[in-house]
Amino acid sequence: MKAILIGNRERFEKFYPNTEFANAVEKIYLTMEEVNQALSGLSGGEIQDALFLAADAIAKVPESLIAQLPDLRIIHSEGVGYNGIDCAAAAKRGIYVCNNRGVNADAVAEQTILLMLGLLRNVTAGDRAVRAGEQIQRKESMMVNGITELGECRIGLIGFGDIAKAVAKRLEPFGCEVFYNATHRKSTGEEAEYHVTWMERQEMIAACDIISIHVPVTPDTVGMVDEAFLRAMRPNALLINTARGEMVDNEALGRALNEGWIAGAGLDTVAPEPVAADHPLLGLSAEAESRLLFSPHIGGVTTGVFRKGHRNIWTAFERVSRGERPANVVNGL
């Protein structure tokens, strides 16, 4: 039995579960660069009879690669995202496509709270002030201008999957009012469990102090945070995005920060990655720049996430080897 592992070999080896089944599988490591090369160069005996494939969540697994693997039974994302995998091509062949749904929920929720608090306390400006010997001036300025506590904020969650639920759990001790909008409203019992209240999306965008994005990449969500969305937010409101950078119209967000439509933004993901020097969000005024907090897409890459995620991958491979259906199938099989 063979498994193709696309991504960082060091990471695959570090979090590899030392089980009898996994030890018996021959592993073929490919970098994303190697996959992006002429696919004809990857064909042949080495990979052709692979049964299993796991790929970095941002890796591409196109139909042209799938077609070269006649024995392939399963493609598993290393993370939650799977939009780089040609799910339709896999489904035509009866190949399961699976993801690690929920595996990063707690970790991304922590990052979401960090960005909220970081913006409310303006941690980057504070850090710079202390290093420059200007901490007293900075403190006095913030005392006059005011610091909003997280517990004073009304939070709006767009999407209410595993990550948004984990965020809601962590917000409850702060005493925030938490609202949500999703494709389907949850039951009264589930709303009570997470201390959240349903609100129509446009009403929520206009009413809340912090809007946090928690939806997957789909044709309907790409670019959803556009000029109309940002202009509908309150001038003192914050935008948080720990979902995917593709949700945000970068040009519109840059204008929103430069012109003061919103108070700030905290982004763990920015499209495209890596961010180029001419990216619209890097050319802001100094004042607007102080209200934009980046983190390098690390919300879901904790040690615990990878440990659980790789265990899930090899469990799925083992189930498929026994003719069983794996968990978290995302392509309708």
Side-chain angles (χ1 to χ4, degrees), residues 112-161:
T112 302
I113 302 300
L114 178 149
L115 290 171
M116 291 179 182
L117 291 170
L119 286 170
L120 289 172
R121 301 290 173 134
N122 205 337
V123 295
T124 54
D127 177 84
R128 289 195 297 268
V130 173
R131 294 176 189 276
E134 300 172 353
Q135 60 266 45
I136 300 303
Q137 298 94 311
R138 182 68 190 172
K139 178 179 179 180
E140 290 178 346
S141 172
M142 294 183 77
M143 289 168 66
V144 171
N145 293 328
I147 300 172
T148 301
E149 296 179 19
L150 185 54
E152 300 176 71
C153 296
R154 304 178 91 199
I155 314 291
L157 306 176
I158 297 183
F160 202 65

mmCIF file of all heavy atoms in Angstrom, residues 112-161:
data_model
loop_
_atom_site.group_PDB
_atom_site.id
_atom_site.type_symbol
_atom_site.label_atom_id
_atom_site.label_comp_id
_atom_site.label_asym_id
_atom_site.label_seq_id
_atom_site.Cartn_x
_atom_site.Cartn_y
_atom_site.Cartn_z
ATOM 1 N N THR A 112 -8.961 34.285 17.097
ATOM 2 C CA THR A 112 -10.015 35.273 16.889
ATOM 3 C C THR A 112 -10.113 36.212 18.087
ATOM 4 O O THR A 112 -10.183 37.440 17.932
ATOM 5 C CB THR A 112 -11.361 34.569 16.655
ATOM 6 O OG1 THR A 112 -11.244 33.692 15.522
ATOM 7 C CG2 THR A 112 -12.480 35.562 16.405
ATOM 8 N N ILE A 113 -10.114 35.634 19.281
ATOM 9 C CA ILE A 113 -10.180 36.447 20.499
ATOM 10 C C ILE A 113 -8.935 37.326 20.614
ATOM 11 O O ILE A 113 -9.007 38.493 20.994
ATOM 12 C CB ILE A 113 -10.321 35.552 21.742
ATOM 13 C CG1 ILE A 113 -11.568 34.660 21.636
ATOM 14 C CG2 ILE A 113 -10.385 36.404 23.009
ATOM 15 C CD1 ILE A 113 -12.871 35.397 21.524
ATOM 16 N N LEU A 114 -7.772 36.754 20.269
ATOM 17 C CA LEU A 114 -6.524 37.521 20.320
ATOM 18 C C LEU A 114 -6.610 38.765 19.439
ATOM 19 O O LEU A 114 -6.227 39.868 19.856
ATOM 20 C CB LEU A 114 -5.359 36.639 19.875
ATOM 21 C CG LEU A 114 -3.960 37.279 19.824
ATOM 22 C CD1 LEU A 114 -2.887 36.246 20.129
ATOM 23 C CD2 LEU A 114 -3.661 37.912 18.457
ATOM 24 N N LEU A 115 -7.128 38.609 18.217
ATOM 25 C CA LEU A 115 -7.231 39.755 17.307
ATOM 26 C C LEU A 115 -8.218 40.787 17.828
ATOM 27 O O LEU A 115 -7.979 42.002 17.713
ATOM 28 C CB LEU A 115 -7.629 39.273 15.911
ATOM 29 C CG LEU A 115 -6.557 38.481 15.159
ATOM 30 C CD1 LEU A 115 -7.141 37.872 13.884
ATOM 31 C CD2 LEU A 115 -5.349 39.346 14.823
ATOM 32 N N MET A 116 -9.325 40.332 18.402
ATOM 33 C CA MET A 116 -10.283 41.267 18.991
ATOM 34 C C MET A 116 -9.615 42.092 20.091
ATOM 35 O O MET A 116 -9.686 43.331 20.102
ATOM 36 C CB MET A 116 -11.476 40.505 19.562
ATOM 37 C CG MET A 116 -12.372 39.853 18.537
ATOM 38 S SD MET A 116 -13.736 38.941 19.347
ATOM 39 C CE MET A 116 -14.569 38.243 17.909
ATOM 40 N N LEU A 117 -8.958 41.415 21.014
ATOM 41 C CA LEU A 117 -8.318 42.099 22.136
ATOM 42 C C LEU A 117 -7.153 42.963 21.661
ATOM 43 O O LEU A 117 -6.940 44.067 22.166
ATOM 44 C CB LEU A 117 -7.831 41.077 23.163
ATOM 45 C CG LEU A 117 -8.916 40.328 23.937
ATOM 46 C CD1 LEU A 117 -8.311 39.181 24.733
ATOM 47 C CD2 LEU A 117 -9.669 41.273 24.867
ATOM 48 N N GLY A 118 -6.412 42.442 20.680
ATOM 49 C CA GLY A 118 -5.272 43.202 20.170
ATOM 50 C C GLY A 118 -5.678 44.527 19.570
ATOM 51 O O GLY A 118 -4.990 45.540 19.732
ATOM 52 N N LEU A 119 -6.808 44.548 18.853
ATOM 53 C CA LEU A 119 -7.297 45.793 18.275
ATOM 54 C C LEU A 119 -7.865 46.719 19.343
ATOM 55 O O LEU A 119 -7.604 47.933 19.334
ATOM 56 C CB LEU A 119 -8.368 45.496 17.224
ATOM 57 C CG LEU A 119 -7.869 44.941 15.895
ATOM 58 C CD1 LEU A 119 -9.047 44.459 15.055
ATOM 59 C CD2 LEU A 119 -7.071 45.990 15.126
ATOM 60 N N LEU A 120 -8.634 46.160 20.256
ATOM 61 C CA LEU A 120 -9.240 47.004 21.291
ATOM 62 C C LEU A 120 -8.169 47.685 22.147
ATOM 63 O O LEU A 120 -8.336 48.827 22.577
ATOM 64 C CB LEU A 120 -10.162 46.168 22.181
ATOM 65 C CG LEU A 120 -11.466 45.696 21.531
ATOM 66 C CD1 LEU A 120 -12.190 44.708 22.447
ATOM 67 C CD2 LEU A 120 -12.376 46.873 21.195
ATOM 68 N N ARG A 121 -7.057 46.993 22.393
ATOM 69 C CA ARG A 121 -5.966 47.552 23.211
ATOM 70 C C ARG A 121 -4.849 48.169 22.364
ATOM 71 O O ARG A 121 -3.883 48.686 22.915
ATOM 72 C CB ARG A 121 -5.385 46.460 24.105
ATOM 73 C CG ARG A 121 -6.386 45.819 25.067
ATOM 74 C CD ARG A 121 -6.797 46.767 26.170
ATOM 75 N NE ARG A 121 -7.856 46.227 26.998
ATOM 76 C CZ ARG A 121 -7.847 46.263 28.334
ATOM 77 N NH1 ARG A 121 -6.826 46.787 28.976
ATOM 78 N NH2 ARG A 121 -8.855 45.763 29.007
ATOM 79 N N ASN A 122 -4.991 48.073 21.034
ATOM 80 C CA ASN A 122 -3.992 48.607 20.104
ATOM 81 C C ASN A 122 -2.588 48.172 20.520
ATOM 82 O O ASN A 122 -1.702 49.004 20.783
ATOM 83 C CB ASN A 122 -4.086 50.133 20.014
ATOM 84 C CG ASN A 122 -3.552 50.657 18.682
ATOM 85 O OD1 ASN A 122 -2.752 49.999 18.027
ATOM 86 N ND2 ASN A 122 -3.992 51.845 18.294
ATOM 87 N N VAL A 123 -2.383 46.875 20.552
ATOM 88 C CA VAL A 123 -1.150 46.322 21.110
ATOM 89 C C VAL A 123 0.089 46.671 20.292
ATOM 90 O O VAL A 123 1.180 46.835 20.854
ATOM 91 C CB VAL A 123 -1.256 44.793 21.281
ATOM 92 C CG1 VAL A 123 -2.304 44.419 22.312
ATOM 93 C CG2 VAL A 123 -1.539 44.103 19.958
ATOM 94 N N THR A 124 -0.049 46.766 18.965
ATOM 95 C CA THR A 124 1.145 47.066 18.170
ATOM 96 C C THR A 124 1.655 48.481 18.437
ATOM 97 O O THR A 124 2.856 48.703 18.582
ATOM 98 C CB THR A 124 0.863 46.876 16.673
ATOM 99 O OG1 THR A 124 -0.284 47.638 16.299
ATOM 100 C CG2 THR A 124 0.613 45.411 16.352
ATOM 101 N N ALA A 125 0.736 49.444 18.510
ATOM 102 C CA ALA A 125 1.143 50.827 18.803
ATOM 103 C C ALA A 125 1.700 50.927 20.211
ATOM 104 O O ALA A 125 2.673 51.656 20.460
ATOM 105 C CB ALA A 125 -0.041 51.776 18.624
ATOM 106 N N GLY A 126 1.098 50.200 21.134
ATOM 107 C CA GLY A 126 1.597 50.203 22.504
ATOM 108 C C GLY A 126 2.993 49.628 22.610
ATOM 109 O O GLY A 126 3.852 50.156 23.330
ATOM 110 N N ASP A 127 3.232 48.556 21.890
ATOM 111 C CA ASP A 127 4.556 47.949 21.890
ATOM 112 C C ASP A 127 5.603 48.921 21.351
ATOM 113 O O ASP A 127 6.680 49.099 21.927
ATOM 114 C CB ASP A 127 4.527 46.676 21.040
ATOM 115 C CG ASP A 127 5.877 46.014 20.911
ATOM 116 O OD1 ASP A 127 6.249 45.241 21.812
ATOM 117 O OD2 ASP A 127 6.565 46.267 19.901
ATOM 118 N N ARG A 128 5.268 49.568 20.231
ATOM 119 C CA ARG A 128 6.209 50.523 19.641
ATOM 120 C C ARG A 128 6.482 51.692 20.591
ATOM 121 O O ARG A 128 7.619 52.171 20.690
ATOM 122 C CB ARG A 128 5.662 51.047 18.317
ATOM 123 C CG ARG A 128 5.676 50.024 17.180
ATOM 124 C CD ARG A 128 5.474 50.691 15.829
ATOM 125 N NE ARG A 128 4.171 51.335 15.742
ATOM 126 C CZ ARG A 128 3.070 50.744 15.272
ATOM 127 N NH1 ARG A 128 3.123 49.478 14.868
ATOM 128 N NH2 ARG A 128 1.930 51.402 15.211
ATOM 129 N N ALA A 129 5.438 52.147 21.289
ATOM 130 C CA ALA A 129 5.600 53.279 22.205
ATOM 131 C C ALA A 129 6.551 52.938 23.342
ATOM 132 O O ALA A 129 7.416 53.750 23.710
ATOM 133 C CB ALA A 129 4.233 53.701 22.756
ATOM 134 N N VAL A 130 6.405 51.750 23.915
ATOM 135 C CA VAL A 130 7.294 51.343 25.012
ATOM 136 C C VAL A 130 8.733 51.269 24.520
ATOM 137 O O VAL A 130 9.674 51.739 25.184
ATOM 138 C CB VAL A 130 6.841 49.990 25.599
ATOM 139 C CG1 VAL A 130 7.856 49.490 26.615
ATOM 140 C CG2 VAL A 130 5.471 50.135 26.256
ATOM 141 N N ARG A 131 8.948 50.681 23.350
ATOM 142 C CA ARG A 131 10.306 50.561 22.801
ATOM 143 C C ARG A 131 10.935 51.930 22.520
ATOM 144 O O ARG A 131 12.156 52.085 22.563
ATOM 145 C CB ARG A 131 10.278 49.728 21.516
ATOM 146 C CG ARG A 131 9.887 48.279 21.730
ATOM 147 C CD ARG A 131 9.774 47.533 20.413
ATOM 148 N NE ARG A 131 9.194 46.212 20.587
ATOM 149 C CZ ARG A 131 9.889 45.122 20.951
ATOM 150 N NH1 ARG A 131 11.197 45.222 21.169
ATOM 151 N NH2 ARG A 131 9.292 43.963 21.088
ATOM 152 N N ALA A 132 10.076 52.919 22.202
ATOM 153 C CA ALA A 132 10.568 54.264 21.896
ATOM 154 C C ALA A 132 10.653 55.149 23.136
ATOM 155 O O ALA A 132 10.985 56.338 23.033
ATOM 156 C CB ALA A 132 9.661 54.916 20.859
ATOM 157 N N GLY A 133 10.370 54.594 24.306
ATOM 158 C CA GLY A 133 10.411 55.380 25.533
ATOM 159 C C GLY A 133 9.240 56.326 25.675
ATOM 160 O O GLY A 133 9.310 57.317 26.414
ATOM 161 N N GLU A 134 8.145 56.030 24.983
ATOM 162 C CA GLU A 134 6.988 56.924 24.991
ATOM 163 C C GLU A 134 5.765 56.288 25.641
ATOM 164 O O GLU A 134 4.629 56.631 25.326
ATOM 165 C CB GLU A 134 6.653 57.326 23.543
ATOM 166 C CG GLU A 134 7.787 58.050 22.839
ATOM 167 C CD GLU A 134 7.526 58.275 21.362
ATOM 168 O OE1 GLU A 134 6.505 57.736 20.861
ATOM 169 O OE2 GLU A 134 8.323 58.972 20.706
ATOM 170 N N GLN A 135 6.023 55.360 26.567
ATOM 171 C CA GLN A 135 4.887 54.647 27.149
ATOM 172 C C GLN A 135 3.970 55.547 27.972
ATOM 173 O O GLN A 135 2.754 55.341 28.000
ATOM 174 C CB GLN A 135 5.361 53.461 27.999
ATOM 175 C CG GLN A 135 6.256 53.807 29.179
ATOM 176 C CD GLN A 135 7.721 53.709 28.821
ATOM 177 O OE1 GLN A 135 8.134 54.193 27.768
ATOM 178 N NE2 GLN A 135 8.501 53.085 29.687
ATOM 179 N N ILE A 136 4.522 56.548 28.637
ATOM 180 C CA ILE A 136 3.679 57.428 29.450
ATOM 181 C C ILE A 136 2.756 58.250 28.554
ATOM 182 O O ILE A 136 1.546 58.360 28.816
ATOM 183 C CB ILE A 136 4.547 58.368 30.316
ATOM 184 C CG1 ILE A 136 5.452 57.537 31.252
ATOM 185 C CG2 ILE A 136 3.647 59.300 31.121
ATOM 186 C CD1 ILE A 136 4.711 56.586 32.160
ATOM 187 N N GLN A 137 3.315 58.791 27.468
ATOM 188 C CA GLN A 137 2.494 59.556 26.535
ATOM 189 C C GLN A 137 1.405 58.675 25.914
ATOM 190 O O GLN A 137 0.251 59.105 25.758
ATOM 191 C CB GLN A 137 3.353 60.159 25.416
ATOM 192 C CG GLN A 137 4.412 61.133 25.904
ATOM 193 C CD GLN A 137 5.758 60.470 26.126
ATOM 194 O OE1 GLN A 137 5.839 59.428 26.774
ATOM 195 N NE2 GLN A 137 6.817 61.084 25.584
ATOM 196 N N ARG A 138 1.793 57.463 25.576
ATOM 197 C CA ARG A 138 0.814 56.549 24.976
ATOM 198 C C ARG A 138 -0.287 56.203 25.972
ATOM 199 O O ARG A 138 -1.470 56.179 25.636
ATOM 200 C CB ARG A 138 1.527 55.262 24.512
ATOM 201 C CG ARG A 138 0.620 54.255 23.830
ATOM 202 C CD ARG A 138 0.145 54.792 22.491
ATOM 203 N NE ARG A 138 -0.916 53.951 21.939
ATOM 204 C CZ ARG A 138 -1.608 54.261 20.862
ATOM 205 N NH1 ARG A 138 -1.356 55.381 20.204
ATOM 206 N NH2 ARG A 138 -2.550 53.460 20.420
ATOM 207 N N LYS A 139 0.102 55.934 27.186
ATOM 208 C CA LYS A 139 -0.883 55.598 28.232
ATOM 209 C C LYS A 139 -1.852 56.754 28.445
ATOM 210 O O LYS A 139 -3.073 56.560 28.513
ATOM 211 C CB LYS A 139 -0.158 55.256 29.527
ATOM 212 C CG LYS A 139 -1.082 54.939 30.679
ATOM 213 C CD LYS A 139 -0.288 54.588 31.936
ATOM 214 C CE LYS A 139 -1.218 54.298 33.104
ATOM 215 N NZ LYS A 139 -0.441 53.958 34.331
ATOM 216 N N GLU A 140 -1.314 57.963 28.554
ATOM 217 C CA GLU A 140 -2.172 59.118 28.784
ATOM 218 C C GLU A 140 -3.126 59.336 27.617
ATOM 219 O O GLU A 140 -4.300 59.670 27.809
ATOM 220 C CB GLU A 140 -1.313 60.365 29.025
ATOM 221 C CG GLU A 140 -0.587 60.333 30.364
ATOM 222 C CD GLU A 140 0.299 61.545 30.582
ATOM 223 O OE1 GLU A 140 0.554 62.276 29.596
ATOM 224 O OE2 GLU A 140 0.737 61.750 31.730
ATOM 225 N N SER A 141 -2.615 59.137 26.388
ATOM 226 C CA SER A 141 -3.462 59.287 25.214
ATOM 227 C C SER A 141 -4.604 58.281 25.230
ATOM 228 O O SER A 141 -5.766 58.633 24.947
ATOM 229 C CB SER A 141 -2.617 59.106 23.949
ATOM 230 O OG SER A 141 -3.431 59.053 22.801
ATOM 231 N N MET A 142 -4.300 57.049 25.588
ATOM 232 C CA MET A 142 -5.332 56.019 25.600
ATOM 233 C C MET A 142 -6.324 56.239 26.733
ATOM 234 O O MET A 142 -7.508 55.915 26.610
ATOM 235 C CB MET A 142 -4.687 54.638 25.694
ATOM 236 C CG MET A 142 -3.855 54.275 24.458
ATOM 237 S SD MET A 142 -3.145 52.620 24.490
ATOM 238 C CE MET A 142 -4.602 51.635 24.079
ATOM 239 N N MET A 143 -5.859 56.804 27.833
ATOM 240 C CA MET A 143 -6.776 57.109 28.932
ATOM 241 C C MET A 143 -7.786 58.177 28.520
ATOM 242 O O MET A 143 -8.968 58.107 28.877
ATOM 243 C CB MET A 143 -5.979 57.568 30.161
ATOM 244 C CG MET A 143 -5.188 56.448 30.827
ATOM 245 S SD MET A 143 -3.991 57.061 32.043
ATOM 246 C CE MET A 143 -5.081 57.744 33.291
ATOM 247 N N VAL A 144 -7.323 59.151 27.735
ATOM 248 C CA VAL A 144 -8.215 60.222 27.286
ATOM 249 C C VAL A 144 -9.148 59.719 26.191
ATOM 250 O O VAL A 144 -10.362 59.968 26.213
ATOM 251 C CB VAL A 144 -7.394 61.427 26.776
ATOM 252 C CG1 VAL A 144 -8.313 62.450 26.102
ATOM 253 C CG2 VAL A 144 -6.645 62.071 27.933
ATOM 254 N N ASN A 145 -8.590 58.992 25.220
ATOM 255 C CA ASN A 145 -9.387 58.513 24.086
ATOM 256 C C ASN A 145 -10.302 57.362 24.457
ATOM 257 O O ASN A 145 -11.323 57.132 23.804
ATOM 258 C CB ASN A 145 -8.466 58.100 22.940
ATOM 259 C CG ASN A 145 -7.732 59.279 22.341
ATOM 260 O OD1 ASN A 145 -8.258 60.392 22.302
ATOM 261 N ND2 ASN A 145 -6.503 59.050 21.891
ATOM 262 N N GLY A 146 -9.932 56.636 25.490
ATOM 263 C CA GLY A 146 -10.772 55.541 25.972
ATOM 264 C C GLY A 146 -10.353 54.190 25.431
ATOM 265 O O GLY A 146 -9.891 54.077 24.291
ATOM 266 N N ILE A 147 -10.488 53.179 26.266
ATOM 267 C CA ILE A 147 -10.222 51.793 25.882
ATOM 268 C C ILE A 147 -11.508 51.009 26.104
ATOM 269 O O ILE A 147 -12.057 50.994 27.209
ATOM 270 C CB ILE A 147 -9.088 51.171 26.722
ATOM 271 C CG1 ILE A 147 -7.795 51.978 26.542
ATOM 272 C CG2 ILE A 147 -8.875 49.704 26.339
ATOM 273 C CD1 ILE A 147 -6.680 51.548 27.478
ATOM 274 N N THR A 148 -11.990 50.377 25.070
ATOM 275 C CA THR A 148 -13.218 49.587 25.166
ATOM 276 C C THR A 148 -12.884 48.173 25.602
ATOM 277 O O THR A 148 -12.016 47.514 25.003
ATOM 278 C CB THR A 148 -13.934 49.543 23.807
ATOM 279 O OG1 THR A 148 -14.233 50.874 23.391
ATOM 280 C CG2 THR A 148 -15.227 48.733 23.890
ATOM 281 N N GLU A 149 -13.560 47.695 26.632
ATOM 282 C CA GLU A 149 -13.383 46.312 27.063
ATOM 283 C C GLU A 149 -14.175 45.380 26.147
ATOM 284 O O GLU A 149 -15.237 45.756 25.625
ATOM 285 C CB GLU A 149 -13.851 46.138 28.502
ATOM 286 C CG GLU A 149 -13.035 46.929 29.516
ATOM 287 C CD GLU A 149 -13.552 46.748 30.933
ATOM 288 O OE1 GLU A 149 -14.287 45.769 31.188
ATOM 289 O OE2 GLU A 149 -13.212 47.596 31.789
ATOM 290 N N LEU A 150 -13.665 44.185 25.971
ATOM 291 C CA LEU A 150 -14.353 43.226 25.107
ATOM 292 C C LEU A 150 -15.763 42.958 25.616
ATOM 293 O O LEU A 150 -16.706 42.805 24.828
ATOM 294 C CB LEU A 150 -13.543 41.929 25.018
ATOM 295 C CG LEU A 150 -14.051 40.857 24.053
ATOM 296 C CD1 LEU A 150 -14.240 41.414 22.649
ATOM 297 C CD2 LEU A 150 -13.099 39.668 24.027
ATOM 298 N N GLY A 151 -15.930 42.913 26.922
ATOM 299 C CA GLY A 151 -17.240 42.641 27.499
ATOM 300 C C GLY A 151 -18.284 43.693 27.201
ATOM 301 O O GLY A 151 -19.493 43.448 27.332
ATOM 302 N N GLU A 152 -17.844 44.888 26.809
ATOM 303 C CA GLU A 152 -18.772 45.956 26.448
ATOM 304 C C GLU A 152 -19.296 45.824 25.022
ATOM 305 O O GLU A 152 -20.218 46.550 24.622
ATOM 306 C CB GLU A 152 -18.085 47.316 26.576
ATOM 307 C CG GLU A 152 -17.575 47.666 27.955
ATOM 308 C CD GLU A 152 -16.836 48.992 27.941
ATOM 309 O OE1 GLU A 152 -17.509 50.031 27.779
ATOM 310 O OE2 GLU A 152 -15.603 48.984 28.047
ATOM 311 N N CYS A 153 -18.699 44.935 24.241
ATOM 312 C CA CYS A 153 -18.972 44.873 22.810
ATOM 313 C C CYS A 153 -20.116 43.934 22.461
ATOM 314 O O CYS A 153 -20.304 42.901 23.103
ATOM 315 C CB CYS A 153 -17.722 44.420 22.062
ATOM 316 S SG CYS A 153 -16.333 45.559 22.191
ATOM 317 N N ARG A 154 -20.822 44.322 21.427
ATOM 318 C CA ARG A 154 -21.776 43.420 20.784
ATOM 319 C C ARG A 154 -21.036 42.748 19.630
ATOM 320 O O ARG A 154 -20.494 43.423 18.754
ATOM 321 C CB ARG A 154 -22.992 44.172 20.258
ATOM 322 C CG ARG A 154 -23.728 44.993 21.298
ATOM 323 C CD ARG A 154 -24.891 45.724 20.662
ATOM 324 N NE ARG A 154 -26.122 44.932 20.715
ATOM 325 C CZ ARG A 154 -27.184 45.150 19.947
ATOM 326 N NH1 ARG A 154 -27.147 46.083 19.015
ATOM 327 N NH2 ARG A 154 -28.262 44.405 20.083
ATOM 328 N N ILE A 155 -20.998 41.427 19.646
ATOM 329 C CA ILE A 155 -20.232 40.665 18.664
ATOM 330 C C ILE A 155 -21.180 40.009 17.669
ATOM 331 O O ILE A 155 -22.160 39.367 18.065
ATOM 332 C CB ILE A 155 -19.388 39.565 19.334
ATOM 333 C CG1 ILE A 155 -18.655 40.096 20.564
ATOM 334 C CG2 ILE A 155 -18.443 38.932 18.318
ATOM 335 C CD1 ILE A 155 -17.569 41.070 20.279
ATOM 336 N N GLY A 156 -20.884 40.136 16.385
ATOM 337 C CA GLY A 156 -21.660 39.473 15.346
ATOM 338 C C GLY A 156 -20.826 38.432 14.634
ATOM 339 O O GLY A 156 -19.764 38.759 14.086
ATOM 340 N N LEU A 157 -21.278 37.196 14.651
ATOM 341 C CA LEU A 157 -20.577 36.096 14.002
ATOM 342 C C LEU A 157 -21.295 35.753 12.702
ATOM 343 O O LEU A 157 -22.476 35.391 12.715
ATOM 344 C CB LEU A 157 -20.552 34.862 14.912
ATOM 345 C CG LEU A 157 -19.988 35.067 16.327
ATOM 346 C CD1 LEU A 157 -20.122 33.788 17.137
ATOM 347 C CD2 LEU A 157 -18.546 35.537 16.271
ATOM 348 N N ILE A 158 -20.595 35.867 11.592
ATOM 349 C CA ILE A 158 -21.166 35.487 10.302
ATOM 350 C C ILE A 158 -20.719 34.065 10.006
ATOM 351 O O ILE A 158 -19.542 33.798 9.781
ATOM 352 C CB ILE A 158 -20.739 36.450 9.195
ATOM 353 C CG1 ILE A 158 -21.290 37.847 9.501
ATOM 354 C CG2 ILE A 158 -21.218 35.953 7.833
ATOM 355 C CD1 ILE A 158 -21.002 38.877 8.435
ATOM 356 N N GLY A 159 -21.693 33.147 10.027
ATOM 357 C CA GLY A 159 -21.411 31.720 9.995
ATOM 358 C C GLY A 159 -21.451 31.195 11.416
ATOM 359 O O GLY A 159 -21.093 31.910 12.371
ATOM 360 N N PHE A 160 -21.918 29.944 11.556
ATOM 361 C CA PHE A 160 -21.976 29.387 12.915
ATOM 362 C C PHE A 160 -21.644 27.895 12.882
ATOM 363 O O PHE A 160 -22.413 27.056 13.330
ATOM 364 C CB PHE A 160 -23.348 29.638 13.559
ATOM 365 C CG PHE A 160 -23.295 29.585 15.067
ATOM 366 C CD1 PHE A 160 -22.572 30.536 15.768
ATOM 367 C CD2 PHE A 160 -23.948 28.585 15.772
ATOM 368 C CE1 PHE A 160 -22.500 30.483 17.164
ATOM 369 C CE2 PHE A 160 -23.895 28.528 17.152
ATOM 370 C CZ PHE A 160 -23.175 29.484 17.853
ATOM 371 N N GLY A 161 -20.463 27.607 12.330
ATOM 372 C CA GLY A 161 -19.950 26.249 12.337
ATOM 373 C C GLY A 161 -19.111 26.001 13.574
ATOM 374 O O GLY A 161 -19.234 26.691 14.599
#
